[in-house]
Amino acid sequence: IDLDMTDPSLINSMEDKITAFSDLYDYIFYDMPTAETNVAIAAYQFCDYAIVPVSDQAGFESVRLVTDTIQLSQENGANIQLLGIVINLYKSQRALQQYNRKLFMETGGDMMYQTVIRDGADLPTASAFSTPLCSYQERSEVQGDIYDFYVETEKRINALKEGPANA
């Protein structure tokens, strides 16, 4: 669900939207800006987990902002947890992105997803046509990355539900 999180009136209907879709989907992803705002803090009240996408060194600031916002949300009663950090829009042929990936993996530790979502022209094109990527281009590398991301996300959620003794 892609929402304009700068509109505070959307927060009022967020819980209703989640409830309406929860019977249809295993997971509901909200794409929100990383800014530490009252809207983000309020939105996190309805989220179980947060995933931080990063693509370059500016991603370190995104991680800090999201973790700070999660902490503020938890202080206000939210049960949200940081699920992990995923590298997206990755272009393996670029030396700087290879360096950034290595840096993220070294500093992010267990919070880093092993899945990396490659940059692909098919993703925005599928979105522009309002067509799921798996239908638009069934065998693309990016679609495979997104599937791997889903599998890893599910494993991370299950590990958190089982607790540290069973992880």
Side-chain angles (χ1 to χ4, degrees):
I1 299 171
D2 192 11
L3 297 176
D4 177 7
M5 295 309 297
T6 60
D7 182 357
S9 67
L10 288 174
I11 299 301
N12 298 331
S13 65
M14 187 175 285
E15 189 170 23
D16 293 336
K17 290 181 187 317
I18 291 172
T19 302
F21 286 110
S22 64
D23 290 338
L24 301 172
Y25 298 100
D26 294 332
Y27 303 104
I28 299 170
F29 291 89
Y30 278 102
D31 185 2
M32 299 181 354
T34 57
E36 189 177 292
T37 65
N38 289 337
V39 175
I41 293 167
Y44 283 0
Q45 299 297 315
F46 303 107
C47 297
D48 296 319
Y49 308 103
I51 301 167
V52 183
V54 296
S55 57
D56 56 28
Q57 286 182 333
F60 286 109
E61 181 64 12
S62 296
V63 172
R64 187 194 64 76
L65 284 170
V66 170
T67 54
D68 288 353
T69 306
I70 287 172
Q71 183 176 355
L72 286 169
S73 299
Q74 290 169 334
E75 290 169 4
N76 287 296
N79 293 319
I80 189 169
Q81 298 177 57
L82 180 60
L83 198 57
I85 304 162
V86 63
I87 296 173
N88 71 341
L89 302 174
Y90 182 69
K91 295 177 180 151
S92 61
Q93 68 275 21
R94 294 192 176 166
L96 181 60
Q97 288 207 329
Q98 291 174 12
Y99 171 78
N100 286 339
R101 179 182 182 186
K102 182 179 179 212
L103 193 60
F104 280 124
M105 292 299 195
E106 288 173 356
T107 58
D110 291 341
M111 291 309 298
M112 290 303 301
Y113 271 69
Q114 296 305 303
T115 301
V116 173
I117 301 174
R118 289 171 269 210
D119 189 23
D122 47 357
L123 189 58
T125 305
S127 179
F129 286 114
S130 298
T131 304
L133 183 61
C134 58
S135 299
Y136 181 75
Q137 198 168 44
E138 295 177 19
R139 299 181 193 271
S140 74
E141 291 178 331
V142 176
Q143 192 275 337
D145 295 342
I146 291 171
Y147 176 78
D148 293 343
F149 168 75
Y150 171 81
V151 169
E152 189 171 352
T153 297
E154 196 165 47
K155 285 179 184 176
R156 286 172 176 261
I157 289 171
N158 289 335
L160 283 174
K161 285 180 179 177
E162 291 172 5
N166 298 324

